[in-house]
Amino acid sequence: VDVEMSCKHNTSLHHATIIRRNKVLASAYNTVGTRSRGCGYSDQTIHAERAVVKRLGDVSQLRGATLIVVRLNRQGELRNSKPCHDCELFLEKCMREYGLRKVIYS
């Protein structure tokens, strides 16, 4: 992912990847979006956590999977990442209802 292009409107890039049994099932990052583009969008950005689940498509594939989210600044340096309240609730639901095994943040 080109960090400079992805961070055009943001100060940092959040990149999310869903893996299961050492295989990448889906990958996505935060981008600028609007509510009219679908569920899981805030007024300013499409959060990586929701974007990657949407890209996965079939939530049954979350069973036993791990979601990894990393945050990079404009220079591509790893930064501390923490979910927003809405994403935290969304991921708790994914764990409780769809069997997502673990969530890891940088």
Side-chain angles (χ1 to χ4, degrees):
V1 176
D2 182 356
V3 175
E4 194 61 39
M5 285 298 293
S6 299
C7 293
K8 185 176 179 183
H9 300 286
N10 303 308
T11 58
S12 60
L13 168 76
H14 285 94
H15 187 265
T17 303
I18 297 173
I19 61 170
R20 186 177 63 221
R21 295 185 205 114
N22 296 321
K23 181 181 176 188
V24 174
L25 302 180
S27 185
Y29 56 91
N30 58 318
T31 58
V32 175
T34 64
R35 288 198 180 275
S36 64
R37 292 176 65 188
C39 126
Y41 298 93
S42 75
D43 290 334
Q44 295 181 348
T45 63
I46 302 161
H47 292 195
E49 298 91 335
R50 289 187 179 254
V52 74
V53 172
K54 186 174 177 86
R55 180 163 288 165
L56 181 64
D58 180 5
V59 292
S60 70
Q61 292 185 54
L62 288 174
R63 184 155 307 285
T66 299
L67 176 83
I68 301 168
V69 182
V70 296
R71 178 179 157 215
L72 303 171
N73 67 10
R74 287 182 181 267
Q75 292 72 39
E77 299 165 331
L78 190 63
R79 293 292 181 237
N80 188 22
S81 183
K82 181 183 176 195
C84 72
H85 179 71
D86 289 341
C87 286
E88 192 171 6
L89 293 176
F90 173 71
L91 294 173
E92 287 172 4
K93 178 181 179 178
C94 287
M95 294 177 91
R96 184 178 62 250
E97 295 183 19
Y98 307 123
L100 180 64
R101 186 174 62 87
K102 186 189 300 186
V103 179
I104 301 169
Y105 280 90
S106 64

